[in-house]
Amino acid sequence: MFAKILIANRGEIACRVIRTARKMGVRTIAVYSDADARSLHVEMADEAVHIGLSPVGESYLRGDKIIAAALATGAQAIHPGYGFLSENPDFVDQVVAAGLIFIGPSAASIRAMGLKDAAKRLMEKAGVPVVPGYHGEAQEIVLLASKAREIGYPVLIKARAGGGGKGMRRVEHPDEFSEALSSARREAKAAFGDDRVLVEKYVDKPRHIEVQVFGDNFGNAVHLYERDCSAQRRHQKVIEESPAPGMTEALRKAMTDAAVKAAKAIHYSGAGTIEFLYENGEFYFIEMNTRLQVEHPVTEAITGIDLVHEQIRVASGGGLSVKQEDIKFNGHAIECRINAEDPRTFTPSPGTITHFHTPGGLGIRVDSGVYSGYKIPPYYDSLIGKLIVHGRNRVECMMRLRRALDEFVVDGIKTTLPLFRDLVGNADIANGDYDIHWLEKYLAKED
Ligand code: ADP
């Protein structure tokens, strides 16, 4: 086991990783930018290294400074959290070249799944169902337009390097194709430095259902059930739950089998997520996230397995601590992402938190990176915390969620808490009756 690890991240996820490392007796090194000198992750870690100015390009994306900090402090491994450098295979190569261990998959696995077009080709070969569409190399506009016609409108143009819903355009009609393509390409170029796209069938009313997978370096790969992340706005998740409402045993078996097949196809090691769209009895692979996800605690709640513990264990050369047949799930869990944002317009609301009180009691977990008096810097993601609620069944979970939301106090800034208080009383949410468009429609009606 490692004696010391460095956490190349900030906010709630850095704090969350530190907690597990401490439980395992592993010392932790935080890194921080100018704006984060008084951040919670810096307080919580055993040691902290300043790595640069506030903008991410000067700090949390500076792989060289992060590796130098690890070497200077005697850390043996680097946990990337999510976002920032977590899915950057070049960073993984640099970590390994420096004689350190990356707590995550190999650079080769990340490369195999990093581009949506290559990932889809790989999955097709492995016999995993993918969204029908064009995911080839050639990118001439005439070819893409004719592929779109073949697929049948509406189609979705997607940046192959995409993430966070960027570089994605729904196209209703052939006349709109060329303009949508240019704007998707522009956005993709600016965000990812890569303007290549794929064209997919636009799935009309799907649910987003993903499967948590885990592999080790001894050829084992398991799944830890599914999460439903259909409550989205602008293709970004807002609420996640597990198990998926209405999931049947037969569908679960088919989806989790496909997910494990996908993980095995790339000899996957560490925590990963296989994302699918599900509609009318059919499911289709959309992408794999080769990292720990924001919503991983709902899986931890229902399985009782600490995913970060498994990550550290596997990276340090151990096998998975559980076999598939030992992984059972218990009850129901829901996560709400609490962002420092206006709950209606979703514009960021940085500023000072004057009062921060988290709910407690049976089945409640709050993962956050803030405290009363903390000043939220404007430079980073607006996620300030997550409320994760577990109950013996979905009804109990919803009751507990309502109570926990009532108890949660964040003063001084705007947050998404009022939105969740609204949603928890909604009949469709209470019944688990929502697809990926439901939330946008609900918000449009409320305006
Ligand atoms: P990103 O990497 O940008 O998050 P994804 O491919 O994971 O992109 O898709 C994000 C979300 O966009 C999905 O959860 C789903 O809501 C929607 N989406 C993706 N592909 C399709 C599709 N073919 N049809 C309809 N909606 C889609």
Side-chain angles (χ1 to χ4, degrees), residues 133-438:
Y134 171 75
H135 35 268
E137 286 286 330
Q139 294 282 309
E140 293 78 28
I141 175 160
V142 184
L143 174 87
L144 295 176
S146 87
K147 291 289 177 190
R149 260 194 307 275
E150 264 171 46
I151 295 162
Y153 282 85
V155 297
L156 190 67
I157 301 174
K158 254 188 202 181
R160 67 170 193 162
K166 288 208 182 78
M168 227 188 260
R169 294 289 182 281
R170 177 190 146 114
V171 195
E172 292 286 338
H173 193 271
D175 293 350
E176 298 154 13
F177 187 81
S178 120
E179 201 179 311
L181 177 65
S182 315
S183 99
R185 277 184 170 157
R186 261 197 312 276
E187 191 171 297
K189 184 83 188 164
F192 316 111
D194 179 344
D195 67 357
R196 292 214 243 170
V197 298
L198 45 158
V199 184
E200 277 183 1
K201 177 81 200 146
Y202 184 81
V203 188
D204 205 29
K205 288 192 173 110
R207 297 186 75 115
H208 172 117
I209 301 180
E210 58 187 34
V211 176
Q212 176 73 54
V213 292
F214 219 110
D216 66 19
N217 296 310
F218 303 96
N220 302 306
V222 298
H223 73 83
L224 293 96
Y225 303 95
E226 78 281 358
R227 294 185 287 258
D228 190 316
C229 313
S230 302
Q232 301 184 352
R233 70 169 271 289
R234 296 200 190 139
H235 305 301
Q236 288 194 43
K237 299 161 188 168
V238 175
I239 298 177
E240 301 98 346
E241 59 179 309
S242 185
M247 178 58 83
T248 62
E249 262 322 305
L251 178 63
R252 174 174 292 134
K253 173 145 185 15
M255 293 185 84
T256 54
D257 279 356
V260 171
K261 203 172 352 167
K264 285 195 167 152
I266 53 165
H267 310 288
Y268 195 74
S269 166
T273 297
I274 314 283
E275 296 191 333
F276 297 103
L277 294 180
Y278 169 77
E279 188 186 48
N280 298 331
E282 304 284 334
F283 63 90
Y284 312 100
F285 169 87
I286 46 172
E287 67 164 348
M288 177 171 190
N289 290 317
T290 51
R291 56 174 159 82
L292 192 69
Q293 287 195 267
V294 175
E295 60 271 27
H296 76 276
V298 295
T299 299
E300 295 185 325
I302 61 154
T303 61
I305 295 170
D306 178 338
L307 290 175
V308 173
H309 186 128
E310 296 299 316
Q311 284 189 299
I312 295 174
R313 186 183 152 105
V314 164
S316 72
L320 278 170
S321 75
V322 279
K323 293 199 172 56
Q324 187 69 67
E325 55 270 27
D326 303 327
I327 306 172
K328 302 272 186 281
F329 79 87
N330 167 26
H332 199 96
I334 299 182
E335 174 181 280
C336 296
R337 296 191 187 198
I338 300 166
N339 287 69
E341 287 176 359
D342 182 293
R344 299 246 69 94
T345 62
F346 299 94
T347 42
S349 170
T352 300
I353 297 178
T354 52
H355 187 56
F356 188 70
H357 173 81
T358 56
L362 186 60
I364 308 293
R365 166 174 172 182
V366 177
D367 279 17
S368 87
V370 301
Y371 52 84
S372 291
Y374 176 71
K375 187 166 177 220
I376 299 168
Y379 304 98
Y380 312 113
D381 191 274
S382 58
L383 184 77
I384 57 166
K386 307 179 306 204
L387 169 63
I388 306 102
V389 178
H390 184 224
R392 286 171 300 175
N393 50 51
R394 195 166 186 276
V395 172
E396 185 179 61
C397 190
M398 293 297 289
M399 288 166 71
R400 216 166 250 168
L401 176 60
R402 184 192 293 254
R403 190 272 290 166
L405 286 165
D406 280 347
E407 223 173 291
F408 215 134
V409 181
V410 186
D411 287 339
I413 55 157
K414 290 179 182 169
T415 73
T416 44
L417 278 169
L419 170 67
F420 296 119
R421 291 187 187 119
D422 251 19
L423 291 176
V424 81
N426 181 279
D428 291 341
I429 294 286
N431 296 327
D433 188 12
Y434 58 95
D435 62 27
I436 62 166
H437 307 299
W438 185 92

Side-chain angles (χ1 to χ4, degrees), residues 29-158:
I29 322 286
V31 291
Y32 65 97
S33 66
D34 277 359
D36 272 340
R38 297 173 58 83
S39 281
L40 194 59
H41 75 288
V42 173
E43 289 292 316
M44 282 177 68
D46 295 305
E47 294 168 55
V49 180
H50 176 247
I51 48 164
L53 303 175
S54 304
V56 294
E58 310 277 340
S59 50
Y60 298 104
L61 290 178
R62 286 289 301 268
D64 55 340
K65 290 193 175 183
I66 289 167
I67 290 169
L71 294 172
T73 51
Q76 296 146 292
I78 297 182
H79 193 301
Y82 52 67
F84 295 136
L85 296 165
S86 61
E87 291 182 283
N88 181 330
D90 298 334
F91 177 64
V92 179
D93 283 338
Q94 287 151 17
V95 169
V96 173
L100 301 165
I101 290 173
F102 181 75
I103 303 177
S106 66
S109 292
I110 299 178
R111 285 198 177 97
M113 287 295 183
L115 296 172
K116 293 181 204 287
D117 53 353
K120 283 182 74 178
R121 291 199 291 268
L122 189 77
M123 289 300 100
E124 255 179 342
K125 233 171 70 190
V128 176
V130 304
V131 182
Y134 171 75
H135 35 268
E137 286 286 330
Q139 294 282 309
E140 293 78 28
I141 175 160
V142 184
L143 174 87
L144 295 176
S146 87
K147 291 289 177 190
R149 260 194 307 275
E150 264 171 46
I151 295 162
Y153 282 85
V155 297
L156 190 67
I157 301 174
K158 254 188 202 181

